[in-house]
Amino acid sequence: MSQPLKVLYLAAEAAPYAKVGGLADVAGSLPKALRALGHDVRLALPRHKAVDGARWKLKLAAAPFPVPVGADHKMTEALEGAAEGVPAYLIWDEHYFGRDRVYGYDDDAQRFVFFGRAILAFIKQSGWQPDVIHANDWHTAFVPTWLATAGKADPFYAPIATAYTIHNVTYHGTTGKAILPFAGLEGHVHHLEVEPPGAVNWMARGIYHSDVINTVSKRYAQEILTPEFGAGMEGLLKHRHAERRLCGILNGVDYDQWNPATDPHLAQRFNSESLDARALNKAALQREAGLPVREGAPLIGFISRLVDQKGVDVLSTVLDRLFARDVQFVLLGAGEKRHEEIFGALPKRFPNKAAVFLKFDAALAQKIYGGADIFLMPSQFEPCGLGQMIAMRYGSVPVVRATGGLADSVSDLDAANATRKGTGFTFGDYTSDAFWNTLERALDVFRDKKTWRGLQERCMKADFSWNASAKKYEELYRKAIEFHKSS
Ligand code: ADP
């Protein structure tokens, strides 16, 4: 193999330390996959209050060190962890990170700029100079911004190339210009056209200043160039695309963690050769959900944050049609109150057919992936989506809207195709009818046991491990280094 790379991977959240959504899954598994390819990849994140220091055996990485904030300095600690064999640096500051949640505070922009300044100070004083710093989403976009501007004058930082991954282009981290002196950027950056007057947009900054930019599927990389999906960033993204700096790389799933052959939460473990055994998981799930144990009733699963993006409104418009049929439905999700109310009422409206769990529950999620026949993801937009990939790994057939990573990972079972190649059911228009027609198609095929088994086997054999995608990140890093050298 060519020269191993030194990469510092920055994220606001990372499994197993702190998880809110899919970003944590990716930040927990991509560095591990890149290390398996021989690269020295290290992870950095804030040490949020919820991180269990004893469980992850965190220890001090260095004596407290000064972090510049505005004209002043703040003494800060970095802790070191090694979960999953990946060296991790967790920046601790009581004021910024001693809080119950990872996100959602008025000073989030300051909190994450502080994290960026601290990790930059930490690597310099430790002497570990990465070839590439990989920032993810707006929270860590300060780092490529600073490196491309104020940091250029420092010989330690000047050679470091940057990569920036967009996991969701709709979250911008927009904040007032008062952040600039705090960030050490005053006089170093000019106003960007996409930024509102008097404001800094960190998503835009990450896109503008990084050597290379990618997003988490090929389809989403195309979609975000349009006003419909670009959330105002499309102009800037088109510019970077024209420079050949923008690409799409599909996320992978950690196949050690998500494995129906070893999953301790399943009543019965299984693989693609022992799919008959899966029926025991369906029965166990029906019992846990308080539904009649019936092999013949198609059991439909939905696991999601309950927000508009995930297609909950289109789902709520097909419920009457759905429950008019002989089906069972299990929902696991938490999110906006109005959605929780609609779905929370289902078990009363449709007894013996609907079970609803309004919470975050990782173990129950695994039981649903392992027991449901059909898995729904009718998203409005979906940068990548992990749920459909995990469902396929567990032999639950996905019914999805063909958008973003869903389009790139699920192929429709074309009923007219005698060779039966598909891995699920897809629809295009974001309408009740389009969704319902496709769901109904899935319910009809479910009755054809031979075709269904073929679908399940193809789902389980599809490879969404990091094997292929980690190599693409390696190429992306090498491209970042080339761009950086020529800049
Ligand atoms: P997003 O990151 O937009 O929420 P993804 O599909 O990329 O969506 O990832 C969602 C991850 O969170 C998956 O691992 C999914 O199983 C998990 N998840 C979502 N909601 C819940 C829940 N209520 N309980 C347990 N796990 C959940």
Side-chain angles (χ1 to χ4, degrees), residues 303-374:
I303 303 172
S304 182
R305 292 184 291 123
L306 297 180
V307 296
D308 290 352
Q309 176 202 337
K310 299 296 180 179
V312 284
D313 53 352
V314 87
L315 175 58
S316 59
T317 61
V318 303
L319 293 171
D320 286 321
R321 282 186 273 187
L322 178 64
F323 288 111
R325 299 198 38 154
D326 181 23
V327 297
Q328 294 182 346
F329 177 70
V330 177
L331 176 147
L332 170 63
E336 289 173 25
K337 201 153 172 259
R338 63 200 171 96
H339 297 313
E340 290 195 351
E341 278 168 9
I342 291 173
F343 292 110
L346 290 184
K348 272 224 172 86
R349 282 177 65 199
F350 304 106
N352 292 326
K353 289 190 165 184
V356 171
F357 300 89
L358 299 175
K359 59 176 177 177
F360 189 96
D361 184 336
L364 179 56
Q366 275 158 278
K367 293 176 198 169
I368 296 173
Y369 288 123
D373 299 300
I374 293 172

Side-chain angles (χ1 to χ4, degrees), residues 112-163:
F112 289 108
V113 164
F114 178 80
F115 166 70
R117 298 209 82 175
I119 194 65
L120 285 168
F122 173 75
I123 56 168
K124 187 171 177 186
Q125 66 107 40
S126 77
W128 187 68
Q129 186 188 44
D131 302 304
V132 180
I133 295 187
H134 184 169
N136 290 279
D137 273 348
W138 76 261
H139 322 97
T140 48
F142 157 77
V143 173
T145 304
W146 188 85
L147 287 172
T149 54
K152 268 199 341 211
D154 185 320
F156 178 82
Y157 298 112
I160 303 175
T162 53

Side-chain angles (χ1 to χ4, degrees), residues 4-8 34-35 38-42 87 128 130:
L5 297 168
K6 286 184 287 175
V7 180
L8 180 63
L34 284 160
R35 285 185 73 84
H39 301 293
D40 181 4
V41 182
R42 305 185 191 185
W128 187 68

